[in-house]
Amino acid sequence: MIKSLKTALFTLAFVNSALAQEAMLQEKQNLPNASSYSRWSFGAGIETRMLKKLSADADYEHRLFPSLFVAYREKWVQSFTEFAFHENSQRVGVLNIDYQRKELRQWARYIIRDQSTWTPHLGASLGLYREEIKTRLSQDFRADTSEWEPTLGFEIGAQGILFRRMLAELNFRALRDSFDEKEEDWNWSLQVNLGYAPL
Amino acid sequence: MVFLRNSLLWSLFLGICLSCQKKDPDQGYTFLIPWPQASGEYRLQEVRLVTLSSPFEMKGSAAEVYSELGFRGPGLEGHPARPRLTEVDGVYVPNDPQSALVVAVYAHFEFLQKMEVDLQLPTRMSWPRQVSVGMPMVKSNGQREFNNARYFMDEDIVAVSPYNGEGLPLALNAGILAHEHFHAIFERLFMPAFESVEVAAESSQRRQLIVRAWNEGLADFYAFVYTQNPDYMGDSVSPEVRQGRRLDRDVVSLLTPQQFQSDVERFADDDQCPQGFCLAYGEGNKLARLLYEIWQKLSEADQTGFLRELLTRLPSASRTLASAEEISLRSLVPLVVSQQVVSKAEACKSLTLLLGGDEVFVSSYPECPTEGTQP
């Protein structure tokens, strides 16, 4: 967890550096008026998701979700399509469990304002996830794959433009897989994206 | 923009509807967990549990299972474990080993509860039981403890320490859980009367060890009853411990008071056997082997009667022994194992061997001859 936060903070520090800010301001000056603005972008990101331990109220473990995205902005609204992936393998004695989760999320973002170095936004998403579990007990093995299930999320974040066509994003997210049966809490996450805007 | 907004609203509505399908908890929930087979081997098996109100919280009428929690005050700090599960075709599959452990522990306590209810065992047990899996514990030398399970009588909690071995984790081992659960039964049936009598400090430690031996021996037998596996510890423990706790070995004589005292003194400063507790396991197992042999020779109906009688006799045995000036390892046997059961199982020879041919105790069994046995 600490390592991931350090990585995120390092990235933040990097994109906030004087050089980056200068590049952003220059880029902003070259941009058309937001009300007539449309742009494609794509890139990759990493998300660190906080999950409560099984019995604890305030003790968390984290999972890393690398992701790929493609986004299209039209004026004050952005469509952000994201594919994220996580896997881990854990063993206790003769019991070994490999867990894999794939997510496809469609975010709808509202750009709050477009006048500063950073462009803040609010977003909501609906997506699908699928889990695959491989359980091994000594020589006994079984693989299970779930159906694609719905997942929901909200975010607040900001996007900046670096070095002409490069994008950087930082998002705080609240994510949840269902509303009732799991009776789960919201999972919180911090996500960083780096992308390229060709048009 | 309108298209985006409408898509989002419809998608949210659809998602909420899809995720709001409730299941009927009365039907129970099925989990994929490691489970003991008739052969004693553990395999992945779909196990149906009927006492949980939600599959995502290990809290029900059988147990409250906690994960990696320590004590805070009189109880555990935190809430019952919420395992990470994925539902696949109506079966809940644990996403990680710790989730599998807490589900398996709950399952065994549900099955223990069912066994006690079905067999009408007079255990005086209070349900739900509290169990902590992966509890951080410290050994007497200050080091972190792994690969052990304990019953904390003051808190009435069964705790399983983290497992770092290569075999079956203790929290998955049905026999070890049943063994620890029996300590809670012993605490209810035997200890209240026995502890009500004050004894001189010098004999207190010896009495404590003797009672511990009975407790451990009966717990070994109870573990066998639940698992029907005389090698119930399996590869969860070291090969030496496993061999030492098997029940399908020949019955041998319990130590005489003199031998016992001598061994207690010998082990007094042994770190591997603090305060001579290892003696309690070894001597207790001798008692368990006799009970196992009797069980094997009885019919199914008589087996249940035998177990019920054993538990029924514990409180009165406790009262008798509490008021006795001196007790020995052999004192409990005539009080809980009846002549009728010994005769049915044709276990006179083993019984006499266990009692070392000691006439004081063997005479409680008029149908068992004492001639030819070695004191």
Side-chain angles (χ1 to χ4, degrees):
Chain A
M1 177 65 210
I2 290 167
K3 195 177 172 186
S4 302
L5 280 175
K6 277 182 180 172
T7 309
L9 287 171
F10 176 80
T11 311
L12 271 175
F14 173 73
V15 297
N16 271 319
S17 69
L19 184 62
Q21 289 203 13
E22 190 180 333
M24 285 180 191
L25 286 171
Q26 278 183 359
E27 191 65 30
K28 284 283 172 190
Q29 286 161 10
N30 296 332
L31 288 175
N33 188 309
S35 57
S36 61
Y37 190 117
S38 66
R39 185 176 63 192
W40 284 94
S41 59
F42 61 88
I46 186 90
E47 178 179 328
T48 177
R49 198 171 293 180
M50 313 279 284
L51 295 179
K52 275 186 184 173
K53 289 196 171 179
L54 302 193
S55 272
D57 286 323
D59 199 1
Y60 292 85
E61 60 184 64
H62 75 107
R63 287 183 178 176
L64 286 178
F65 283 73
S67 61
L68 296 170
F69 71 85
V70 57
Y72 177 71
R73 178 176 167 182
E74 180 72 41
K75 299 179 183 173
W76 300 103
V77 177
Q78 186 180 41
S79 162
F80 188 91
T81 307
E82 176 185 53
F83 173 75
F85 177 82
H86 168 82
E87 66 179 350
N88 68 54
S89 179
Q90 294 180 49
R91 184 178 77 89
V92 177
V94 291
L95 177 65
N96 189 93
I97 298 180
D98 295 333
Y99 170 80
Q100 192 182 82
R101 178 177 167 117
K102 293 171 186 162
E103 289 181 358
L104 188 62
R105 287 180 185 273
Q106 175 60 49
W107 292 88
R109 289 175 172 172
Y110 174 69
I111 311 299
I112 298 170
R113 57 187 209 142
D114 206 5
Q115 293 166 359
S116 60
T117 306
W118 287 90
T119 305
H121 62 259
L122 292 172
S125 79
L126 187 73
L128 295 168
Y129 72 94
R130 182 176 210 174
E131 293 169 310
E132 188 177 337
I133 303 110
K134 293 176 181 166
T135 313
R136 184 175 282 106
L137 182 76
S138 300
Q139 302 304 312
D140 210 3
F141 174 79
R142 177 162 151 168
D144 293 276
T145 306
S146 72
E147 300 292 320
W148 286 96
E149 301 282 350
T151 175
L152 303 142
F154 297 96
E155 70 174 6
I156 183 167
Q159 190 181 84
I161 299 171
L162 306 169
F163 313 119
R164 292 178 177 275
R165 297 290 177 194
M166 295 296 288
L167 303 171
E169 265 192 23
L170 180 68
N171 299 305
F172 293 96
R173 291 177 167 176
L175 305 166
R176 189 168 176 160
D177 286 346
S178 71
F179 277 120
D180 62 333
E181 199 178 349
K182 284 192 178 181
E183 296 160 8
E184 63 177 351
D185 296 319
W186 289 90
N187 290 319
W188 302 98
S189 78
L190 177 67
Q191 201 230 13
V192 177
N193 288 324
L194 287 173
Y196 179 71
L199 299 175
Chain B
M1 186 168 168
V2 174
F3 171 73
L4 277 173
R5 189 192 64 196
N6 288 345
S7 307
L8 179 70
L9 288 173
W10 276 109
S11 303
L12 275 172
F13 175 72
L14 185 66
I16 291 166
C17 291
L18 283 172
S19 60
C20 285
Q21 299 167 42
K22 274 265 182 193
K23 290 226 168 71
D24 181 6
D26 294 340
Q27 300 286 315
Y29 301 100
T30 303
F31 298 87
L32 179 73
I33 46 175
W35 199 249
Q37 310 298 300
S39 62
E41 185 191 10
Y42 281 73
R43 303 286 303 267
L44 293 170
Q45 186 177 315
E46 293 177 7
V47 178
R48 190 159 197 77
L49 302 180
V50 295
T51 60
L52 283 167
S53 51
S54 163
F56 296 101
E57 187 174 44
M58 292 299 106
K59 179 183 179 184
S61 60
E64 290 174 5
V65 182
Y66 299 83
S67 169
E68 297 176 331
L69 290 185
F71 287 118
R72 177 181 283 174
L76 296 162
E77 47 165 350
H79 52 70
R82 292 179 174 174
R84 298 189 183 115
L85 305 165
T86 298
E87 187 185 358
V88 182
D89 298 331
V91 177
Y92 291 92
V93 183
N95 292 175
D96 51 58
Q98 190 64 16
S99 294
L101 300 191
V102 295
V103 174
V105 166
Y106 188 92
H108 283 299
F109 276 85
E110 182 175 307
F111 278 71
L112 279 164
Q113 183 188 39
K114 186 174 186 311
M115 180 182 85
E116 291 177 14
V117 170
D118 288 353
L119 300 182
Q120 298 175 329
L121 300 181
T123 59
R124 298 183 189 171
M125 187 48 61
S126 49
W127 302 92
R129 307 298 306 140
Q130 285 198 312
V131 191
S132 180
V133 180
M135 179 186 258
M137 293 191 274
V138 178
K139 292 193 280 193
S140 55
N141 61 8
Q143 289 181 332
R144 195 172 172 198
E145 184 166 58
F146 291 94
N147 315 338
N148 200 1
R150 292 170 186 271
Y151 169 67
F152 290 94
M153 57 189 143
D154 290 340
E155 294 81 6
D156 196 22
I157 287 172
V158 168
V160 185
S161 63
Y163 186 77
N164 65 359
E166 297 297 319
L168 184 77
L170 269 68
L172 296 177
N173 189 309
I176 287 171
L177 295 173
H179 175 103
E180 297 305 325
H181 174 63
F182 180 82
H183 290 321
I185 297 174
F186 192 82
E187 192 63 27
R188 284 161 170 78
L189 298 183
F190 191 88
M191 295 313 288
F194 193 79
E195 286 182 331
S196 65
V197 178
E198 285 190 22
V199 294
E202 60 187 63
S203 65
S204 170
Q205 190 196 347
R206 197 175 65 252
R207 285 169 74 93
Q208 210 177 345
L209 265 182
I210 291 170
V211 172
R212 176 84 182 254
W214 296 336
N215 194 349
E216 297 298 341
L218 293 171
D220 276 355
F221 176 62
Y222 200 77
F224 159 73
V225 171
Y226 176 61
T227 59
Q228 291 298 300
N229 180 5
D231 182 25
Y232 75 88
M233 286 211 163
D235 65 358
S236 296
V237 294
S238 68
E240 298 77 30
V241 173
R242 178 181 184 172
Q243 184 59 24
R245 301 290 285 278
R246 287 185 75 110
L247 274 68
D248 52 356
R249 294 180 296 152
D250 290 341
V251 176
V252 293
S253 172
L254 288 163
L255 294 176
T256 63
Q258 294 76 21
Q259 290 168 331
F260 185 62
Q261 184 61 33
S262 159
D263 277 5
V264 169
E265 287 165 10
R266 187 158 59 90
F267 284 116
D269 298 322
D270 189 339
D271 286 345
Q272 299 300 313
C273 184
Q275 299 170 306
F277 279 156
C278 60
L279 283 173
Y281 291 103
E283 292 304 294
N285 187 260
K286 294 176 182 175
L287 171 63
R289 281 183 249 166
L290 174 75
L291 301 177
Y292 166 74
E293 187 180 314
I294 291 172
W295 178 277
Q296 290 295 93
K297 291 177 178 172
L298 294 175
S299 68
E300 199 171 317
D302 287 338
Q303 285 172 343
T304 307
F306 168 49
L307 183 59
R308 218 177 279 151
E309 182 185 71
L310 194 67
L311 297 172
T312 307
R313 286 178 167 225
L314 270 179
S316 59
S318 170
R319 285 191 292 275
T320 306
L321 293 165
S323 54
E325 276 187 26
E326 279 295 325
I327 60 170
S328 78
L329 288 164
R330 299 164 179 179
S331 307
L332 181 73
V333 181
L335 298 173
V336 295
V337 181
S338 68
Q339 172 69 71
Q340 193 187 7
V341 163
V342 173
S343 297
K344 272 187 184 173
E346 299 174 352
C348 272
K349 188 180 170 192
S350 297
L351 177 88
T352 312
L353 267 173
L354 183 77
L355 297 174
D358 190 329
E359 282 188 24
V360 174
F361 299 110
V362 180
S363 62
S364 302
Y365 298 91
E367 293 177 28
C368 295
T370 55
E371 291 170 26
T373 55
Q374 294 296 317

